[in-house]
Amino acid sequence: MPDVMTTAVSPDRSGSTPFTPNQYGNIDSTTWNELVLEAMLVLIEKGQSGALKDFVNTQILEPKDEKGTLLEQAKISNQEQLSIDNLEILGAQLKDAQTINALFEHFQNAKDPVFYKAILRNDNLNSLITGGLKEPLLFNLLENSDTNSVNGKIIDKLLDTSADSSVAYINDIINNEPQKLITIAKKATKIEHCTKVLDALGKNNRRLESLGAIGEDIARAMLQTKHEGLLESLKFQRFDITKKRDLNIKDKIVFAKCIDNSTQLANLAGNLPGDEPPGSEDHIRAVKEIIDNTSFDDEVADQLFKHPENIKFLEAEYLMKLAERAGSKGQFNSILNANNTNSQVVDAVIKFANSKPQDIFSKAFDDLDKTISTKIASNPPRVVRGLLRFAKAALPIVKLAITPFAVAANFIMHPIKTFKQIRSGRFTMPFAGTPTSMLKSISKTINELDKKEKVKFIELDNDSKKDLVSCGNNESFKKQFGQMNVARNIESAKAAPPAIVSPETAASGQEVTNNSISKVEEAMTTLAKVTDLGAASLSHKVDNSSLKSWVDVKKEEAPGLIDWANDKVSFPQVEEGRQDEQAKVIVSALAEIVRLSKEKNTSKEEVELEAAGFSPDMMGKILSQLESTPIAGLQLHCGEAAKLPEALQQQLGRINDRNKAVPYKPDTPATPAINRGMAPPAATTKESPHPTTPPIIDTELLKKPGSASGKKPI
Amino acid sequence: MANTSLVNIEMINDSSLINKLNAKQLKELALLATNADQINKIIQAQHMDHEVLTVILANSKALIKNLATDSLLKLVKNSIDLQELKIIFGGINARRNDNSSISR
């Protein structure tokens, strides 16, 4: 302490010369600060910090006189009232929030980070926050907080939406200073903090998306927090666990754009559904952002594939990007099933499917045929086309029997055109031989087409309908088709005379007339007759078990010939006027059966075949052929049902006897006639580029128009 | 109260003597002070305490604004509540106002 007498008469410490009326001169800012600080410390030390507000307000800020308040004067002169050092001391020690508010509001130096950091060091910070520290002081405290030691209560207080003032504050910053939310998000330490920000936006009918670049910065701030576990807690679903409120999809769109981490992106991708169902416009936008994100990888794609509803509406460019990441049959199917799948997408699927390791696909494609069957039955032609190409791509891996698919796919895509192709011979493989499951799928699809495109379907000409039945070498298919589809077509046509107009027909200006309907009725009559007779195909049971091995060979080479389930050799329907031709074919087939049977079996036993189902007339034709063409070892028998006339029975006996006597020559065909009726090697068509084995039966015979024989089996 | 007669205003001018006065004697001396210079000397005395301060605030309120800054600081440090601080700062603020008006 300076000597009292010396000090009393000396100029003040500012060095200014004392002047009257105060011989000790003005109170300079340094002295003033010292006086104020000491006074405040007195109150603090005496446990009267609550009195500080009064002191500050009455003695420091507003000691009025005739010239107005000191504060006003201070503002006018812009003089410093409290040093930053004093403010730092006060900030660290004051226990009263209101005093600190007063200091912050009225002292220029209280806007200095030193003051904020001093408050943050205050042992009573929590009580100061809860006791009423005001924004923007709170915000400044937050902004000056060390990211790793943020006092969460500051954020809680700032975004305490239950308080009117806070709501007003939030409204204000959202509308005027939304960038403040970036800071809050950056400092967030808990899931609840992020929730508060997003909730505040939501309550103001704002979303991150609507804030544009600021919204993205907020999202990035949340994502880049150093507090581990925060993002995992976000989960993007059930964002606020306590309130069971989902993260809004519009917020998710922004997150999808801002995430720079694959795991986080996958997390988001797997949790897109929430307040809106998959397939909505916003969902699609979110998916696009995810795909466009540089962190998009297989893991993320896996999550997206969980919601095919979203994939369905993606544009082709996104589908191709997805194709690159797809890793399973189901995922590729999702792409192929999308509305915007085009040839480029299919090419991408094929390309990337082939690039995958075989071990992935060996399992994935195990039941591809079943899948495709199902898809054919339930998807539009364009999808089937994609499936077909996909199946071809997979063929080298899983050795799929592609031809039936080709037929089925073409049928689904272009039913009328396909029938015409079959009839004109451009399709060397008819429906015969198509697996039962596939036929069922086709039948089901017919039903679907029937419902959707009645007019188109009944425009099939009668011959096509008949062919469809006759070449479908499967009873259940024929029955299903004949009784359900065509019948309903007719009923539909009848129910809505005189005209049923399809979009295509309407566009062309044509109408379905009563004449068209009558043609359908005519076709139906024929079909019903055939179905009732059960003679759409004439089967010749092969009892000789030695043919089994031959059957095994032939079911690959000529799948249309064999009914595998019953070890039957099936022949196509005999047509009136063509019996001679067909008899030749049948005899050729019998010769081939015998030849192959002999080759497969070392024994020289005779091959016994039981013929049943042919009319006496047709049997006569066959026997005539056999008489002119001996087949070594062939013993043909007629079953009990085949009550041949006596003359024919005798003729058959003679033939069998002669065949017994003819020595078998393994190196040569049993008869030169054996190949006479066979079809030429199958041509590769546009629709089915895979070469097919020529069937033993001359399919050309089937292509010529004619009516069913209607004859009962003998 | 015979001892009271031992304290007189002249003691203020003896720096060695005033530092030997105890608080009670300083209080009596404060009651005798009539100008700021005298109050300054009492405040800077070695044994000045809160009791002396209360006498000064009670009897020399009008003189506070004319005290030396060191005296003002010591007064503040020896005060114990808002009421006393208000009196001291009343004087301080009055002086600031005077100086402000002069400088303007």
Side-chain angles (χ1 to χ4, degrees), chain A residues 165-181:
Chain A
S165 59
S166 295
V167 172
Y169 162 66
I170 292 167
N171 289 341
D172 181 63
I173 63 173
I174 288 173
N175 293 325
N176 301 312
E177 301 177 282
Q179 67 275 7
K180 279 189 173 180
L181 291 175

PDB file of all heavy atoms in Angstrom, chain A residues 165-181:
ATOM      1  N   SER A 165     -39.807 -18.433 -24.473  1.00  0.00           N
ATOM      2  CA  SER A 165     -38.709 -17.589 -24.946  1.00  0.00           C
ATOM      3  C   SER A 165     -37.790 -18.399 -25.866  1.00  0.00           C
ATOM      4  O   SER A 165     -37.278 -17.888 -26.866  1.00  0.00           O
ATOM      5  CB  SER A 165     -37.925 -17.037 -23.769  1.00  0.00           C
ATOM      6  OG  SER A 165     -37.403 -18.097 -22.987  1.00  0.00           O
ATOM      7  N   SER A 166     -37.592 -19.675 -25.490  1.00  0.00           N
ATOM      8  CA  SER A 166     -36.718 -20.506 -26.308  1.00  0.00           C
ATOM      9  C   SER A 166     -37.341 -20.783 -27.662  1.00  0.00           C
ATOM     10  O   SER A 166     -36.653 -20.798 -28.681  1.00  0.00           O
ATOM     11  CB  SER A 166     -36.429 -21.826 -25.586  1.00  0.00           C
ATOM     12  OG  SER A 166     -35.700 -21.567 -24.417  1.00  0.00           O
ATOM     13  N   VAL A 167     -38.637 -20.997 -27.639  1.00  0.00           N
ATOM     14  CA  VAL A 167     -39.321 -21.227 -28.909  1.00  0.00           C
ATOM     15  C   VAL A 167     -39.177 -20.000 -29.801  1.00  0.00           C
ATOM     16  O   VAL A 167     -38.877 -20.107 -30.998  1.00  0.00           O
ATOM     17  CB  VAL A 167     -40.808 -21.544 -28.675  1.00  0.00           C
ATOM     18  CG1 VAL A 167     -41.552 -21.580 -30.001  1.00  0.00           C
ATOM     19  CG2 VAL A 167     -40.964 -22.865 -27.947  1.00  0.00           C
ATOM     20  N   ALA A 168     -39.363 -18.852 -29.175  1.00  0.00           N
ATOM     21  CA  ALA A 168     -39.213 -17.613 -29.938  1.00  0.00           C
ATOM     22  C   ALA A 168     -37.795 -17.490 -30.460  1.00  0.00           C
ATOM     23  O   ALA A 168     -37.560 -17.077 -31.601  1.00  0.00           O
ATOM     24  CB  ALA A 168     -39.557 -16.414 -29.051  1.00  0.00           C
ATOM     25  N   TYR A 169     -36.859 -17.861 -29.593  1.00  0.00           N
ATOM     26  CA  TYR A 169     -35.456 -17.796 -30.000  1.00  0.00           C
ATOM     27  C   TYR A 169     -35.195 -18.724 -31.177  1.00  0.00           C
ATOM     28  O   TYR A 169     -34.553 -18.343 -32.163  1.00  0.00           O
ATOM     29  CB  TYR A 169     -34.570 -18.181 -28.815  1.00  0.00           C
ATOM     30  CG  TYR A 169     -33.172 -18.564 -29.212  1.00  0.00           C
ATOM     31  CD1 TYR A 169     -32.304 -17.621 -29.762  1.00  0.00           C
ATOM     32  CD2 TYR A 169     -32.718 -19.867 -29.049  1.00  0.00           C
ATOM     33  CE1 TYR A 169     -31.025 -17.966 -30.129  1.00  0.00           C
ATOM     34  CE2 TYR A 169     -31.441 -20.218 -29.422  1.00  0.00           C
ATOM     35  CZ  TYR A 169     -30.594 -19.271 -29.959  1.00  0.00           C
ATOM     36  OH  TYR A 169     -29.337 -19.616 -30.330  1.00  0.00           O
ATOM     37  N   ILE A 170     -35.722 -19.933 -31.052  1.00  0.00           N
ATOM     38  CA  ILE A 170     -35.498 -20.900 -32.128  1.00  0.00           C
ATOM     39  C   ILE A 170     -36.139 -20.406 -33.423  1.00  0.00           C
ATOM     40  O   ILE A 170     -35.548 -20.483 -34.499  1.00  0.00           O
ATOM     41  CB  ILE A 170     -36.058 -22.274 -31.720  1.00  0.00           C
ATOM     42  CG1 ILE A 170     -35.216 -22.833 -30.583  1.00  0.00           C
ATOM     43  CG2 ILE A 170     -36.052 -23.234 -32.912  1.00  0.00           C
ATOM     44  CD1 ILE A 170     -35.828 -24.011 -29.899  1.00  0.00           C
ATOM     45  N   ASN A 171     -37.341 -19.925 -33.296  1.00  0.00           N
ATOM     46  CA  ASN A 171     -37.993 -19.383 -34.485  1.00  0.00           C
ATOM     47  C   ASN A 171     -37.144 -18.299 -35.118  1.00  0.00           C
ATOM     48  O   ASN A 171     -36.990 -18.228 -36.332  1.00  0.00           O
ATOM     49  CB  ASN A 171     -39.361 -18.792 -34.117  1.00  0.00           C
ATOM     50  CG  ASN A 171     -40.359 -19.871 -33.774  1.00  0.00           C
ATOM     51  OD1 ASN A 171     -40.161 -21.017 -34.134  1.00  0.00           O
ATOM     52  ND2 ASN A 171     -41.416 -19.496 -33.089  1.00  0.00           N
ATOM     53  N   ASP A 172     -36.602 -17.483 -34.231  1.00  0.00           N
ATOM     54  CA  ASP A 172     -35.816 -16.361 -34.723  1.00  0.00           C
ATOM     55  C   ASP A 172     -34.558 -16.848 -35.443  1.00  0.00           C
ATOM     56  O   ASP A 172     -34.253 -16.376 -36.540  1.00  0.00           O
ATOM     57  CB  ASP A 172     -35.443 -15.454 -33.548  1.00  0.00           C
ATOM     58  CG  ASP A 172     -34.647 -14.247 -34.025  1.00  0.00           C
ATOM     59  OD1 ASP A 172     -35.205 -13.466 -34.799  1.00  0.00           O
ATOM     60  OD2 ASP A 172     -33.481 -14.110 -33.625  1.00  0.00           O
ATOM     61  N   ILE A 173     -33.861 -17.764 -34.831  1.00  0.00           N
ATOM     62  CA  ILE A 173     -32.608 -18.183 -35.476  1.00  0.00           C
ATOM     63  C   ILE A 173     -32.887 -18.994 -36.741  1.00  0.00           C
ATOM     64  O   ILE A 173     -32.119 -18.931 -37.698  1.00  0.00           O
ATOM     65  CB  ILE A 173     -31.695 -18.979 -34.515  1.00  0.00           C
ATOM     66  CG1 ILE A 173     -32.358 -20.278 -34.057  1.00  0.00           C
ATOM     67  CG2 ILE A 173     -31.281 -18.146 -33.348  1.00  0.00           C
ATOM     68  CD1 ILE A 173     -31.417 -21.156 -33.251  1.00  0.00           C
ATOM     69  N   ILE A 174     -33.984 -19.733 -36.730  1.00  0.00           N
ATOM     70  CA  ILE A 174     -34.288 -20.500 -37.938  1.00  0.00           C
ATOM     71  C   ILE A 174     -34.627 -19.566 -39.089  1.00  0.00           C
ATOM     72  O   ILE A 174     -34.215 -19.765 -40.228  1.00  0.00           O
ATOM     73  CB  ILE A 174     -35.441 -21.482 -37.670  1.00  0.00           C
ATOM     74  CG1 ILE A 174     -34.952 -22.623 -36.778  1.00  0.00           C
ATOM     75  CG2 ILE A 174     -36.000 -22.039 -38.987  1.00  0.00           C
ATOM     76  CD1 ILE A 174     -36.035 -23.547 -36.329  1.00  0.00           C
ATOM     77  N   ASN A 175     -35.355 -18.529 -38.742  1.00  0.00           N
ATOM     78  CA  ASN A 175     -35.789 -17.619 -39.805  1.00  0.00           C
ATOM     79  C   ASN A 175     -34.719 -16.605 -40.198  1.00  0.00           C
ATOM     80  O   ASN A 175     -34.665 -16.168 -41.341  1.00  0.00           O
ATOM     81  CB  ASN A 175     -37.061 -16.887 -39.375  1.00  0.00           C
ATOM     82  CG  ASN A 175     -38.238 -17.840 -39.249  1.00  0.00           C
ATOM     83  OD1 ASN A 175     -38.350 -18.787 -40.020  1.00  0.00           O
ATOM     84  ND2 ASN A 175     -39.088 -17.620 -38.268  1.00  0.00           N
ATOM     85  N   ASN A 176     -33.889 -16.227 -39.206  1.00  0.00           N
ATOM     86  CA  ASN A 176     -32.943 -15.144 -39.478  1.00  0.00           C
ATOM     87  C   ASN A 176     -31.476 -15.548 -39.415  1.00  0.00           C
ATOM     88  O   ASN A 176     -30.649 -14.982 -40.118  1.00  0.00           O
ATOM     89  CB  ASN A 176     -33.187 -13.993 -38.494  1.00  0.00           C
ATOM     90  CG  ASN A 176     -34.609 -13.471 -38.600  1.00  0.00           C
ATOM     91  OD1 ASN A 176     -35.098 -13.217 -39.696  1.00  0.00           O
ATOM     92  ND2 ASN A 176     -35.276 -13.345 -37.475  1.00  0.00           N
ATOM     93  N   GLU A 177     -31.179 -16.487 -38.537  1.00  0.00           N
ATOM     94  CA  GLU A 177     -29.776 -16.874 -38.376  1.00  0.00           C
ATOM     95  C   GLU A 177     -29.634 -18.396 -38.332  1.00  0.00           C
ATOM     96  O   GLU A 177     -29.119 -18.950 -37.351  1.00  0.00           O
ATOM     97  CB  GLU A 177     -29.207 -16.292 -37.087  1.00  0.00           C
ATOM     98  CG  GLU A 177     -29.258 -14.777 -36.988  1.00  0.00           C
ATOM     99  CD  GLU A 177     -28.740 -14.293 -35.646  1.00  0.00           C
ATOM    100  OE1 GLU A 177     -29.512 -14.394 -34.680  1.00  0.00           O
ATOM    101  OE2 GLU A 177     -27.600 -13.855 -35.569  1.00  0.00           O
ATOM    102  N   PRO A 178     -30.122 -19.081 -39.335  1.00  0.00           N
ATOM    103  CA  PRO A 178     -30.094 -20.540 -39.261  1.00  0.00           C
ATOM    104  C   PRO A 178     -28.685 -21.106 -39.154  1.00  0.00           C
ATOM    105  O   PRO A 178     -28.507 -22.243 -38.724  1.00  0.00           O
ATOM    106  CB  PRO A 178     -30.763 -20.970 -40.577  1.00  0.00           C
ATOM    107  CG  PRO A 178     -30.633 -19.797 -41.479  1.00  0.00           C
ATOM    108  CD  PRO A 178     -30.668 -18.593 -40.599  1.00  0.00           C
ATOM    109  N   GLN A 179     -27.687 -20.282 -39.533  1.00  0.00           N
ATOM    110  CA  GLN A 179     -26.320 -20.783 -39.434  1.00  0.00           C
ATOM    111  C   GLN A 179     -25.929 -21.077 -37.982  1.00  0.00           C
ATOM    112  O   GLN A 179     -25.000 -21.825 -37.727  1.00  0.00           O
ATOM    113  CB  GLN A 179     -25.332 -19.796 -40.055  1.00  0.00           C
ATOM    114  CG  GLN A 179     -25.194 -18.495 -39.343  1.00  0.00           C
ATOM    115  CD  GLN A 179     -26.264 -17.491 -39.779  1.00  0.00           C
ATOM    116  OE1 GLN A 179     -27.184 -17.840 -40.533  1.00  0.00           O
ATOM    117  NE2 GLN A 179     -26.153 -16.265 -39.307  1.00  0.00           N
ATOM    118  N   LYS A 180     -26.683 -20.474 -37.033  1.00  0.00           N
ATOM    119  CA  LYS A 180     -26.395 -20.783 -35.633  1.00  0.00           C
ATOM    120  C   LYS A 180     -26.645 -22.254 -35.328  1.00  0.00           C
ATOM    121  O   LYS A 180     -26.022 -22.830 -34.451  1.00  0.00           O
ATOM    122  CB  LYS A 180     -27.261 -19.910 -34.716  1.00  0.00           C
ATOM    123  CG  LYS A 180     -26.725 -18.500 -34.519  1.00  0.00           C
ATOM    124  CD  LYS A 180     -27.504 -17.781 -33.435  1.00  0.00           C
ATOM    125  CE  LYS A 180     -26.859 -16.432 -33.128  1.00  0.00           C
ATOM    126  NZ  LYS A 180     -27.597 -15.715 -32.072  1.00  0.00           N
ATOM    127  N   LEU A 181     -27.584 -22.817 -36.059  1.00  0.00           N
ATOM    128  CA  LEU A 181     -27.874 -24.228 -35.837  1.00  0.00           C
ATOM    129  C   LEU A 181     -26.684 -25.100 -36.227  1.00  0.00           C
ATOM    130  O   LEU A 181     -26.531 -26.209 -35.737  1.00  0.00           O
ATOM    131  CB  LEU A 181     -29.114 -24.645 -36.631  1.00  0.00           C
ATOM    132  CG  LEU A 181     -30.429 -24.037 -36.140  1.00  0.00           C
ATOM    133  CD1 LEU A 181     -31.569 -24.416 -37.077  1.00  0.00           C
ATOM    134  CD2 LEU A 181     -30.738 -24.491 -34.732  1.00  0.00           C
TER     135      LEU A 181
END
